[in-house]
Amino acid sequence: MSATAAAKPPAPPARRILVVIVLVPVVVTLALWAFAWPAARVAPRDLPIGLAGPASATAPLQQQLEQRDGAFDLHRYADEPAARTAIEGRDVYGAVVVTPQGPKLLAATAASPTVAQLLHDAVSRQVPPGTELRTDDVVAAPAADPRGAALGSSVLPLALAGVASGAIVTLLGLRGLRAVTALAGAAALVGLAGTAIADSWLGIITGDWWVEAGALGLTVLAGSSAVAGLAALLGPAGIGLGALLVVLLGNPWSGVTSAPQLLPEPVGAIGQWLPPGAGGTLIRSVAFFGGSGAGTAVTALAIWAALGLTAVVLGGLRGRKPPVEQEPPLPEPVA
């Protein structure tokens, strides 16, 4: 039987039309749900904040904040220096210090300008009328990006770079160690180029240049490895599944434009274990907090990269055809 005769006949035109009619609305509906639902339900959910000062002085404010059931996860600190240390270590987003001169809000716009404004509004409503709420930005967002909009916009290009790298490696037929080399090289170059733009040019991240480049590169590598690994296991359908996880779910569930604790549950928690969410947290940590709070993010990205690259290598071994053993030639007959 010839290869042409053995080829699978194409699907009837009516079936292909039906696939388009059904598939496009399903994808659009899924995208609207993934992007619009979390954005429409932004609110504090166990948002970690601190209270500092004598217990007798902080008790009334604590009771008022606890009335918003499930909104805040309150951490007690003895004094202002302890609260500042907790903010710089990314244990809390901010803290209220009760002093004889009145309440004082310690914020960190670098952690999330949205949360900093939310805390200011929430605490302002709790202080007695006529009392001025003093505010101190402990870790300020860079002057080039005070609202964090540019940093939040940087996560989607990194996610797209990951999907594109994984898809291109798959479509070019690269396998095994060649595919691993291509994925790692592309991620490294994206990390360098991205840091040159975000740090050296725009100034929207301000940490150690090479550490930032590593964070951006690891974010891309996690996404590209996930796509290429799924494609190695599932075939071309793996590219679509990888794009679904990295872009369609990972980007809106990352919480990088607000905070994971402001997204509906369990979206915020799930998003931190997908490449865009983990990458956004890692970049913010190394850019503004000296790496504090980056442990879980590094773990998540490393798991995606390790599993994806392992699948790529195993897929390359599985696709390698064993050599055909040739039978030795028959001896020529003796005349």
Side-chain angles (χ1 to χ4, degrees):
M1 183 181 293
S2 65
T4 304
K8 185 179 179 180
R15 185 181 301 175
R16 285 178 281 173
I17 293 174
L18 182 62
V19 168
V20 174
I21 292 175
V22 174
L23 185 60
V24 172
V26 168
V27 172
V28 171
T29 301
L30 179 61
L32 287 174
W33 167 75
F35 279 81
W37 170 52
R41 296 291 185 269
V42 170
R45 298 171 176 85
D46 289 326
L47 185 71
I49 64 173
L51 283 176
S56 58
T58 59
L61 181 58
Q62 179 175 346
Q63 292 176 355
Q64 291 172 339
L65 293 174
E66 288 177 344
Q67 289 178 358
R68 299 182 62 174
D69 188 29
F72 300 108
D73 178 17
L74 299 178
H75 297 246
R76 295 295 308 273
Y77 299 101
D79 49 28
E80 181 175 335
R84 286 178 174 272
T85 300
I87 294 172
E88 293 168 351
R90 302 210 71 185
D91 295 323
V92 293
Y93 281 91
V96 183
V97 182
V98 179
T99 69
Q101 294 76 28
K104 180 179 181 180
L105 175 63
L106 303 179
T109 53
S112 171
T114 303
V115 171
Q117 184 61 51
L118 183 150
L119 290 178
H120 184 276
D121 295 342
V123 177
S124 296
R125 289 194 293 267
Q126 309 302 332
V127 300
T131 303
E132 180 182 0
L133 178 61
R134 295 173 296 157
T135 303
D136 187 359
D137 199 348
V138 177
V139 185
D145 188 27
R147 299 181 182 275
L151 178 61
S153 301
S154 302
V155 173
L156 179 58
L158 295 178
L160 293 176
V163 172
S165 299
I168 292 172
V169 164
T170 300
L171 296 176
L172 289 179
L174 298 177
R175 301 187 184 281
L177 294 180
R178 292 181 178 179
V180 171
T181 301
L183 293 171
L189 289 178
V190 171
L192 295 173
T195 306
I197 294 173
D199 187 316
S200 302
W201 178 31
L202 299 178
I204 62 175
I205 53 178
T206 58
D208 182 273
W209 200 96
W210 291 103
V211 175
E212 291 170 346
L216 268 66
L218 181 57
T219 301
V220 175
L221 181 62
S224 63
S225 300
V227 173
L230 288 170
L233 296 176
L234 305 177
I239 298 177
L241 180 58
L244 173 70
L245 291 173
V246 176
V247 176
L248 202 58
L249 298 181
N251 187 66
W253 292 7
S254 67
V256 70
T257 59
S258 54
Q261 293 84 358
L262 298 185
L263 301 180
E265 297 179 349
V267 164
I270 294 174
Q272 290 304 291
W273 286 95
L274 296 176
T281 297
L282 175 59
I283 294 167
R284 196 182 292 276
S285 293
V286 301
F288 308 123
F289 296 89
S292 297
T296 301
V298 171
T299 300
L301 294 173
I303 289 174
W304 280 105
L307 292 179
L309 294 178
T310 300
V312 168
V313 172
L314 293 179
L317 295 176
R318 185 182 61 181
R320 186 180 300 170
K321 296 181 180 179
V324 179
E325 296 184 0
Q326 297 182 352
E327 296 183 359
L330 297 175
E332 296 182 0
V334 179

